[in-house]
Amino acid sequence: MMYQTVQIDHQKGIKMLDKEKITAILQYGTLDNCRDLLHNYLAQSDFFSLESLMLRLYISMDVYIAAQNMSQSFGVSHGEFISYFGSIDDVANRMQTVETTTSFLYDLVVQCIRWRIESVTESSNHIISKAKQYIDTHYMDDDISLNRVADSVGLTPTYLSMLFKRETKQNFSDYLTIMRVTKAKELLCCTSKLISEIAYEVGFRDYRYFGQIFKKHTGMTPRQFQNSSNRLECLV
């Protein structure tokens, strides 16, 4: 009922704000710029100059509903949203002055953006975890590639590459190489297999290239590493 009253008052002369702009702020704004974006949004009406409770209510309802709808897309339950900001019927209690209204709306926008960031982070972590699992299972395949891993997690290679570097601080190729070298070290220490067999088993089809990569990462050739491991076993 309150929202209908505000709409009637709007029809008598309150400037209409573009509701898509508040949605854009919630979806693309940052914690650093959201205060300025919200201020500019409100300034497009007479929000800061008119002492109109009806205007404050109308705008607040728009922002409240947009934030509630957006937060649900980030996985925030209705109950969690209400626990932060109250129900739509409680909004009027926060609208007594321009200052209290602005503070309420700012808190609303900031929290919604925080939920969005948390949602994106959780999603990114899940995707990278799946990508790592795929690499850990297929590192020995000679045809494993960024394209293949990206396809396994449903992303484009370009986006996965960016996401992988951001979340792990490593390039995809570096992660794969370190995985292969680590597995090679385990085999050199714990099996009597030939070095050429080990190279092939961890995904290197060129024995000499395997030796170069192994030395780059360990400071020793595969043979030196194997002999060193054998000597340590004898001492034990």
Side-chain angles (χ1 to χ4, degrees):
M1 184 177 297
M2 181 185 300
Y3 190 50
Q4 292 175 345
T5 302
V6 174
Q7 286 182 315
I8 293 171
D9 188 79
H10 167 76
Q11 292 171 359
K12 292 180 180 179
I14 292 177
K15 296 178 182 177
M16 178 177 288
L17 292 173
D18 186 350
K19 296 179 183 180
E20 292 184 1
K21 289 186 178 179
I22 191 61
T23 300
I25 293 172
L26 296 170
Q27 192 164 9
Y28 303 111
T30 68
L31 294 176
D32 291 331
N33 68 16
C34 63
R35 183 189 291 273
D36 290 338
L37 292 175
L38 179 62
H39 183 277
N40 292 338
Y41 175 77
L42 297 175
Q44 293 173 22
S45 70
D46 294 319
F47 181 86
F48 295 109
S49 58
L50 285 181
E51 289 296 328
S52 170
L53 177 59
M54 289 300 101
L55 172 60
R56 294 197 294 273
L57 285 172
Y58 179 78
I59 293 175
S60 298
M61 291 298 180
D62 277 351
V63 177
Y64 180 97
I65 293 171
Q68 187 176 45
N69 291 338
M70 188 69 68
S71 66
Q72 288 177 350
S73 71
F74 303 147
V76 178
S77 68
H78 176 75
E80 185 176 2
F81 186 88
I82 296 300
S83 71
Y84 269 83
F85 302 109
S87 69
I88 198 166
D89 293 328
D90 299 325
V91 172
N93 296 327
R94 309 288 295 274
M95 307 296 109
Q96 299 307 310
T97 68
V98 171
E99 290 73 20
T100 59
T101 306
T102 304
S103 177
F104 173 73
L105 295 180
Y106 177 67
D107 291 343
L108 195 62
V109 169
V110 166
Q111 185 57 46
C112 194
I113 290 174
R114 283 178 177 155
W115 280 326
R116 187 196 75 209
I117 293 171
E118 290 171 2
S119 172
V120 170
T121 300
E122 290 175 3
S123 177
S124 297
N125 289 339
H126 178 65
I127 289 170
I128 295 304
S129 178
K130 287 180 62 178
K132 284 182 174 181
Q133 289 175 6
Y134 188 89
I135 296 169
D136 293 351
T137 304
H138 298 277
Y139 69 89
M140 72 293 295
D141 299 348
D142 60 350
D143 62 343
I144 189 172
S145 64
L146 177 64
N147 286 10
R148 186 171 154 190
V149 177
D151 186 62
S152 75
V153 297
L155 296 180
T156 65
T158 300
Y159 186 70
L160 176 62
S161 178
M162 179 277 295
L163 201 61
F164 202 93
K165 180 64 178 291
R166 189 184 73 189
E167 298 298 324
T168 69
K169 312 305 179 187
Q170 289 180 301
N171 293 322
F172 162 79
S173 58
D174 291 339
Y175 181 86
L176 174 60
T177 297
I178 292 172
M179 168 64 66
R180 286 173 164 175
V181 169
T182 299
K183 295 297 182 181
K185 288 165 67 177
E186 294 174 2
L187 293 171
L188 287 167
C189 287
C190 306
T191 72
S192 58
K193 293 182 179 181
L194 297 175
I195 293 176
S196 58
E197 292 177 319
I198 292 173
Y200 190 87
E201 190 167 327
V202 299
F204 289 95
R205 300 302 179 255
D206 186 324
Y207 170 75
R208 283 179 292 185
Y209 180 65
F210 165 66
Q212 293 170 3
I213 294 298
F214 191 91
K215 186 172 183 179
K216 177 181 177 181
H217 285 272
T218 67
M220 292 184 282
T221 66
R223 178 68 63 193
Q224 290 170 334
F225 183 86
Q226 189 177 54
N227 291 338
S228 175
S229 299
N230 290 337
R231 284 197 299 271
L232 288 174
E233 288 180 1
C234 291
L235 290 175
V236 174

